[in-house]
Amino acid sequence: MATHTGSNASPTGTNGKDAKPELSDSFQENQGKGGETHQVAQEDGAVLTTSQGVPVADDQNSLKQGARGPTLLEDFHFREKIFHFDHERIPERVVHARGYGAHGYFELTESLADITRADIFQRVGEKTEAFARFSTVAGSKGSSDVARDVRGFAVKLYTKEGNWDLVGNNIPVFFIQDAIKFPDLIHAAKPEPDRGFPQAQTAHDNFWDFISLSPESMHMVMWIMSDRTIPRSFRMMEGFGVHTFRLVDVDGKSSFVKFHWKPKLGLQSVVWNEAVKINGADPDFHRRDLWTAIESGDFPEWELGVQIFDQEFADSFDFDVLDATKIIPEELVPVRVVGRLVLDRLVDNFFATTEQVAFCTQNIVPGIDFTNDPLLQGRNFSYLDTQLKRLGSPNFTHLPVNAPRCPFAHFQQDGHMAMHNPAGRANYEPNSWGPAQGGPREDPVRGFKSVMTPPDGDKLRIRPESFADHYSQARQFYISQTPIEQKHIGDALVFELSKVERPDIRSRMVSHLIHIDGDLADTVAKGLGLPLPEPAKAAVAPKTDLPPSDALSILKNGPQSFAGRKLGLLVSDGADAALVKALMSAVEDAGAMCEVVAPKIGGATLSDGTMLPAQQKIDGGPSVLYDAVAVILSDEGAAMLAKDAPSKDFVADAFAHCKFLGLSPQAEPLLVKAGIAEDLDDGCLGLESADDAKAFVAALAPLRFWDRESRVDLDAMNA
Ligand code: HDE
C-alpha cells in the first residue's frame, strides 16, 4: 500500500529546505534576566527536536507496525508529544481567571524619601521594571472581556529591594469587610452550582440574594452598577490599592497611604446595550485594545497617586480607615502624583507570563507595610496559598515573570521544578562555613522590619462598631454622579434585578436603596413593577450630609479629547477619495486610530480609482467596536448598503449608543432604512469637505453625545 505524509510538508518536516544539521547553540537560560521562556532559539531553519534534544525526522506520522497500524509504544516522540499536550492546562485562577497583561516600567516623578525608605520611591527619574495584569473577576478564563464586572488591576514592581505587588482593582472599595466572607461572595457571584450558569454575570438570584443579605456591600453595589464595570478599555480605567497600607521611613515612623492609578487617557466606559453587543462581536475587545495600542507604539500610561495621612486624620475621619468598604474622598486628602506606569512591551508568550504571573499581596518591600484591615490580612494568606495550587510548586518564584530582578539569595531548596538551589556547602544558617561556602546572611539594617504596633485588645470574633455604617458613602457616590450616570445606575439595577426570579430578593434589594437615595429606590421599584418596600434595618442611621465628590464620576474625569480612541469609517466603492483621506489624516492628527469598514475585506475603490484596504468586512466590524463612526458612501454604495442588515445596524447602533456620526450626504438612503434619518441631531455632523472632516474630528472630544439618550431609551422615556 502506498504511504503518504499526511500533510503538505515534506516527510522530513522541513518543507523541503535544507535542514540545518546542528541545533542553535543557545539553549537560553533566561531566568532572573527578565526573559520569558526556556526555549531553543528560533533561528531560521532550526531543527525540530524532542524535549530531550533529539532531532525529529517525521512529525506527521506516528510509528506503526505496517502502514495501517497498530501504533507502537516505542514511538517516544509521539508519546512525549501527547503526554505534554495532555498536561498543558493548569487550574485557572479561582477568581480573576480572565486577564491580560503587559510589561512596562514605573518612573518616579516625585521623591517620597521623607516618608518612606522604599527604594522605588527614592530617586526621581529612576525606572523600575513592571508587569501589569488586568482581569475580570467572576468569569472563567474563556469568558468575554466586557462582562459587567470589577476589573483587577495588579502590578508587579521589580524593585531593587525585592518585588512589590500592588494587587488592586478598578474600584476603590470592596463588597465585604472581612476575608472570611470571600468564598461566600464568590460562590454567590459565580454560576449557580446546580445548573452551572450564568457565566460571567451577576444578574442572577444567588448574587443578589447574598448581596441583599449583606448591607456592607451597598457602597460597592453603587460602583458595580455604575459604568465603572463596563470600561471602554483597560487604558481608560483607574486602579486602586483599595486597602490602607503604610509607608515607613528610615527611622521606622509610619504614615498611612492609599494608592491610586490614574489613566493618562482619562476615564471612559461603554453603555450596557453596547457592552452586550461587543461581547458577541469581539469577546477579546479589551485584550485586543491593549495589544493594538502597545503594538502601534501608543503606550498606555497611568499616574501613580498617593493619599497620605496620619493617625490624627484617621481618628478624625467619619469612618474606619481599616474598612475596605470605604474611600477617603480626594477632597479630604488630595491625591499626590509621584510617578507613572508605562506599559511598552507585549508579552512574548501569554502562558509564560500572563497565566503564570503570581501576584501575592504579601509581596511588599522595606518601606511599605500592611495595616490590620481584616480583608487585607485574609488576602495575605490566600494569595500564596492559591499560587501553590495553581502553579503546582513552591518554586513558582523561579519562573522568569515572578523572579526578582535584584540579587536574591536564600536557603530554600528542592521541590518540584527547582531551577536554582543554594550553592556551596551550607544550606542552613547560622553556619560556620564563612563567606565563600556559608551562603547569605541577614542584614539588620537593610532587611524588612514590620512596623511595631501594640495589640488592640482581646481575642474576639467580632465586627467593630466603626465598620457599621453601610449606606452613607453609597449615597455620597450616587450624588456625585452626573444625571446620565445616575440614570445608568438605575438602569443597571433594573436590568440585573429583572433577571432575578424571586420577587422577595428584588424587593429586599430595593429596601436598601431607600437609604441611599429615595429617587433611585423609586425608579428601581417602578422599573421592576414593585411597590416600594419598607426600608431595610440600618445598623446606624446613614449620614445624608456627605458632600458630593467630583473624583467619583467618570464623565467629570473624561479626557475631552479623542486621542487614543478609534473611529470606524464605513466606505463603499466610489466614496469621495479626497474626503476619506482628509478624514483619515485628521483622525491621525488627533492621536486616534481609524479602522476602515467596507462591504468587502479587500477594500473599496474610491472615487479617484485608488483602492482603500479595509480592516473589517461590515459584518465583522459593527459600530460597537468604535468610539465614533463616519459613513462616506457613493450613491450606488448607499443604495446597496441600505438593504444590508449589518450596515443598518452599524448606523442605528452608533446612534442609539449616543456616538457622534459623521455622514456624507450620499449616506441618506441608509439612514432612512435604518430608521434614524428623521432623528438626526447635533451629534450627527455632515461630511462634504476637508474642513468638515477636521470639524468632525474636533467635535469628537466629549466622546459621546449624551443629550440623545433621553430620546432613544425606553427607560428614560418612562422616567
Ligand atoms: Fe483577590 N484573589 N481576594 N482581591 N485578587 C485572587 O489570587 C482574595 C480582593 C485581586 O491578575 C486570587 O492569584 C481574597 C480585593 C486581583 O493574577 C486569590 C479576598 C482585591 C487578582 C484571591 C480578595 C483583589 C486577585 C485568585 C478577600 C482588590 C488577580 C488567583 C479578602 C484590592 C491577580 C490569584 C492576577 C486574585 C483572594 C479580595 C484583587 C484566591 C481571599 C479586595 C487583581 O488568592
Side-chain angles (χ1 to χ4, degrees):
M1 180 172 284
T3 58
H4 59 91
T5 63
S7 87
N8 292 333
S10 77
T12 62
T14 58
N15 287 326
K17 279 191 205 150
D18 284 344
K20 265 199 182 165
E22 76 285 323
L23 283 173
S24 150
D25 50 21
S26 59
F27 186 85
Q28 281 184 347
E29 169 91 359
N30 276 336
Q31 64 188 42
K33 293 178 196 157
E36 308 254 63
T37 47
H38 286 261
Q39 62 178 16
V40 176
Q42 295 290 305
E43 289 170 14
D44 226 10
V47 169
L48 180 73
T49 74
T50 68
S51 51
Q52 302 297 332
V54 177
V56 171
D58 181 351
D59 192 36
Q60 318 303 324
N61 303 293
S62 56
L63 184 68
K64 299 179 204 73
Q65 186 68 58
R68 299 173 64 231
T71 304
L72 297 179
L73 261 184
E74 74 173 66
D75 186 350
F76 58 86
H77 168 53
F78 167 70
R79 266 276 293 143
E80 179 199 84
K81 185 174 176 182
I82 294 292
F83 151 81
H84 201 278
F85 170 74
D86 289 345
H87 297 275
E88 275 177 8
R89 292 289 169 272
I90 61 171
E92 66 173 35
R93 289 165 173 82
V94 60
V95 283
H96 296 267
R98 183 165 179 85
Y100 207 65
H103 302 277
Y105 61 86
F106 170 77
E107 181 180 0
L108 191 70
T109 54
E110 189 186 313
S111 169
L112 281 176
D114 53 330
I115 291 172
T116 172
R117 60 173 281 207
D119 189 76
I120 188 172
F121 291 128
Q122 303 303 307
R123 295 165 296 277
V124 168
E126 190 170 290
K127 291 182 178 169
T128 300
E129 191 183 333
F131 184 80
R133 182 176 181 273
F134 308 101
S135 48
T136 52
V137 178
S140 57
K141 204 179 146 208
S143 54
S144 312
D145 277 352
V146 195
R148 179 181 287 285
D149 202 350
V150 183
R151 297 299 181 290
F153 193 124
V155 186
K156 194 179 276 293
L157 295 145
Y158 304 90
T159 87
K160 287 190 175 139
E161 289 200 328
N163 289 353
W164 171 35
D165 292 357
L166 187 52
V167 197
N169 279 344
N170 76 329
I171 289 180
V173 289
F174 202 60
F175 293 97
I176 48 172
Q177 297 173 320
D178 189 313
I180 198 170
K181 296 311 297 166
F182 193 62
D184 299 295
L185 166 73
I186 298 304
H187 288 178
K190 288 255 185 187
E192 300 193 0
D194 52 356
R195 58 211 65 190
F197 61 81
Q199 177 59 243
Q201 308 263 341
T202 50
H204 61 112
D205 285 63
N206 282 5
F207 179 74
W208 287 104
D209 187 26
F210 177 83
I211 291 293
S212 61
L213 293 168
S214 310
E216 70 201 68
S217 60
M218 289 309 140
H219 187 192
M220 182 73 167
V221 164
M222 287 297 103
W223 285 82
I224 62 167
M225 292 294 102
S226 81
D227 296 340
R228 296 261 177 174
T229 41
I230 40 174
R232 153 67 178 85
S233 159
F234 297 138
R235 302 178 291 137
M236 299 165 198
M237 62 185 202
E238 287 179 293
F240 303 92
V242 175
H243 312 280
T244 300
F245 290 87
R246 289 173 190 275
L247 292 177
V248 189
D249 72 10
V250 274
D251 302 320
K253 181 173 165 281
S254 91
S255 320
F256 293 121
V257 60
K258 292 256 188 198
F259 293 106
H260 297 244
W261 296 109
K262 297 209 175 259
K264 191 177 151 202
L265 291 174
L267 300 186
Q268 190 186 341
S269 285
V270 298
V271 297
W272 177 238
N273 180 271
E274 190 184 6
V276 168
K277 293 173 179 169
I278 292 173
N279 284 332
D282 185 2
D284 305 309
F285 187 67
H286 283 151
R287 54 188 56 202
R288 194 186 305 283
D289 171 88
L290 192 71
W291 177 276
T292 312
I294 297 177
E295 199 182 33
S296 67
D298 185 10
F299 301 137
E301 192 172 325
W302 291 260
E303 287 176 337
L304 177 68
V306 287
Q307 281 179 298
I308 297 173
F309 54 96
D310 56 14
Q311 189 65 51
E312 200 184 329
F313 171 84
D315 294 341
S316 70
F317 186 47
D318 285 333
F319 307 95
D320 198 321
V321 299
L322 302 185
D323 174 359
T325 68
K326 304 296 183 300
I327 57 158
I328 297 177
E330 294 187 23
E331 288 74 11
L332 285 185
V333 179
V335 174
R336 182 170 151 193
V337 173
V338 296
R340 62 189 196 119
L341 172 72
V342 179
L343 298 182
D344 63 351
R345 188 159 58 90
L346 296 167
V347 300
D348 290 341
N349 181 275
F350 176 82
F351 183 86
T353 46
T354 311
E355 272 308 275
Q356 294 198 123
V357 65
F359 291 99
C360 297
T361 48
Q362 78 276 32
N363 286 355
I364 53 169
V365 290
I368 299 176
D369 207 348
F370 310 116
T371 58
N372 290 343
D373 173 344
L375 206 62
L376 177 59
Q377 299 278 324
R379 293 180 74 200
N380 283 342
F381 172 79
S382 179
Y383 286 68
L384 191 58
D385 190 46
T386 207
Q387 305 311 353
L388 182 61
K389 166 79 180 165
R390 213 165 62 75
L391 296 167
S393 158
N395 292 319
F396 64 83
T397 55
H398 298 196
L399 297 170
V401 70
N402 295 323
R405 302 297 185 254
C406 61
F408 56 94
H410 48 70
F411 294 111
Q412 291 157 22
Q413 65 172 30
D414 303 356
H416 287 295
M417 308 293 167
M419 281 181 263
H420 39 79
N421 266 16
R425 177 95 186 241
N427 55 357
Y428 59 93
E429 65 90 32
N431 66 56
S432 328
W433 291 100
Q437 288 288 310
R441 290 285 187 267
E442 305 143 321
D443 184 333
V445 178
R446 275 190 60 207
F448 180 89
K449 284 196 268 313
S450 297
V451 171
M452 272 212 281
T453 48
D456 202 18
D458 296 336
K459 192 189 285 181
L460 296 166
R461 223 178 247 285
I462 206 168
R463 203 68 70 87
E465 276 298 310
S466 53
F467 283 37
D469 180 343
H470 304 314
Y471 299 107
S472 305
Q473 283 205 345
R475 175 183 173 77
Q476 183 176 36
F477 178 80
Y478 186 73
I479 62 169
S480 302
Q481 307 300 310
T482 60
I484 198 82
E485 291 172 302
Q486 289 187 339
K487 175 185 171 299
H488 289 178
I489 293 173
D491 289 353
L493 280 159
V494 172
F495 176 91
E496 295 260 321
L497 294 170
S498 296
K499 297 276 180 184
V500 168
E501 289 165 17
R502 282 180 46 172
D504 57 324
I505 297 177
R506 296 181 205 144
S507 180
R508 199 194 297 140
M509 196 49 227
V510 177
S511 74
H512 292 289
L513 300 179
I514 297 170
H515 292 305
I516 298 172
D517 184 84
D519 287 346
L520 175 65
D522 270 346
T523 308
V524 176
K526 242 207 245 158
L528 294 169
L530 271 181
L532 199 65
E534 286 297 307
K537 253 204 196 133
V540 296
K543 295 179 200 300
T544 52
D545 58 352
L546 297 181
S549 162
D550 282 350
L552 304 181
S553 151
I554 298 172
L555 294 184
K556 290 177 197 163
N557 293 282
Q560 287 305 315
S561 158
F562 199 63
R565 272 70 186 178
K566 210 183 211 183
L567 179 83
L569 170 56
L570 178 60
V571 292
S572 67
D573 283 346
D576 181 340
L579 183 57
V580 166
K581 284 170 195 165
L583 180 60
M584 291 178 79
S585 76
V587 172
E588 200 183 319
D589 291 347
M593 287 177 80
C594 182
E595 200 160 273
V596 175
V597 182
K600 291 200 176 113
I601 193 64
T605 309
L606 302 181
S607 58
D608 64 356
T610 53
M611 166 62 80
L612 179 70
Q615 283 83 50
Q616 296 287 356
K617 170 167 156 44
I618 175 70
D619 1 13
S623 61
V624 292
L625 302 182
Y626 307 109
D627 296 293
V629 301
V631 183
I632 304 182
L633 306 174
S634 60
D635 290 330
E636 301 73 40
M640 188 180 78
L641 294 188
K643 297 183 198 138
D644 177 52
S647 304
K648 286 185 275 187
D649 287 349
F650 187 90
V651 285
D653 273 347
F655 189 78
H657 300 147
C658 302
K659 290 179 182 167
F660 286 93
L661 289 87
L663 302 164
S664 76
Q666 297 82 354
E668 171 81 9
L670 173 63
L671 308 180
V672 171
K673 287 288 184 185
I676 60 169
E678 302 209 333
D679 301 325
L680 299 186
D681 52 30
D682 291 349
C684 306
L685 286 86
L687 287 178
E688 289 190 67
S689 64
D691 283 348
D692 288 349
K694 274 197 197 136
F696 172 62
V697 173
L700 299 178
L703 303 176
R704 298 282 165 122
F705 186 72
W706 292 117
D707 276 6
R708 192 184 297 144
E709 187 162 300
S710 58
R711 297 189 295 278
V712 293
D713 180 80
L714 183 65
D715 291 329
M717 289 181 260
N718 288 340

